[in-house]
Amino acid sequence: MRLLSLVCFATCLPLWALAEGGTADLQRWPIHQDGRAGFMDRTGKVVIPAAYDDVSTFHEGLARVKVGMRETSYGAIAGGKNGYIDATGRLVIPATFDYARNFSDGRAAVKVGKRRFYIDTTGAEVIPGPFQRTTDFKEGLAGVELRKDQWAFIDRDGKIVFHLPPAADNRDPASFSEGYAVVAFKRSKQDRGSWVFDKAGNTVLEIPHVIARDVREGVIAVRDHTKKR
């Protein structure tokens, strides 16, 4: 496996990120009791009763919870609405969303009906979209599908920072890591590989014939299509 080295720069976390806790920080872990979900502390004591159909882990001080799911006539579990609770179990964002993701960089992607948009930790709609698909914010940017197969990266205010080229393969949308996003491309059956973008949208590296992974500790792991290694 060939490793490609990149120069990475240290950045400071924003204060709102430091102020919010995750599952381990808050000492809250999901549990399931009699088909319902809640949270326990590190001793196994139930600290948030199992009153929900589904829960996520805590992210930035909030956990997604789901209520109102029902069993269909053919035995599947469907429906329900998503909201968010704090570490005390208080429902701080009402369960009004048909789909919701965990908070990241102070934003969460949600869906009501067919409309996808982003909310902040108060539940206020801060990036209205509309979007076809959404991803989590990482390092202040998130990938969104504006129209079918037309993707761009937006900042936390919803401003488009840069568009991805038409040849970008967005079946597995990219996210930023250590200041870079690794995006697969396919210009033809033979001409495919990966681009590495910086946060301004500049292509800092093009790697032919490979599947490349996110930047980790300044390097990228790649798999060569032509040599299968």
Side-chain angles (χ1 to χ4, degrees), residues 112-133:
V112 175
K114 294 183 178 181
R115 193 169 75 92
R116 296 177 185 268
F117 55 98
Y118 288 87
I119 60 173
D120 65 15
T121 53
T122 71
E125 180 178 327
V126 289
I127 306 176
F131 304 114
Q132 299 294 312
R133 283 190 288 167

Side-chain angles (χ1 to χ4, degrees), residues 122-182:
T122 71
E125 180 178 327
V126 289
I127 306 176
F131 304 114
Q132 299 294 312
R133 283 190 288 167
T134 53
T135 66
D136 293 338
F137 274 87
K138 298 289 178 64
E139 299 186 0
L141 298 177
V144 295
E145 187 179 34
L146 305 173
R147 290 173 293 279
K148 184 172 175 59
D149 294 328
Q150 295 182 20
W151 283 76
F153 277 97
I154 60 172
D155 65 18
R156 294 179 64 250
D157 295 321
K159 178 183 176 182
I160 295 176
V161 179
F162 66 94
H163 293 266
L164 287 177
D169 184 351
N170 296 303
R171 290 173 295 177
D172 184 18
S175 60
F176 273 86
S177 173
E178 299 186 17
Y180 299 95
V182 180

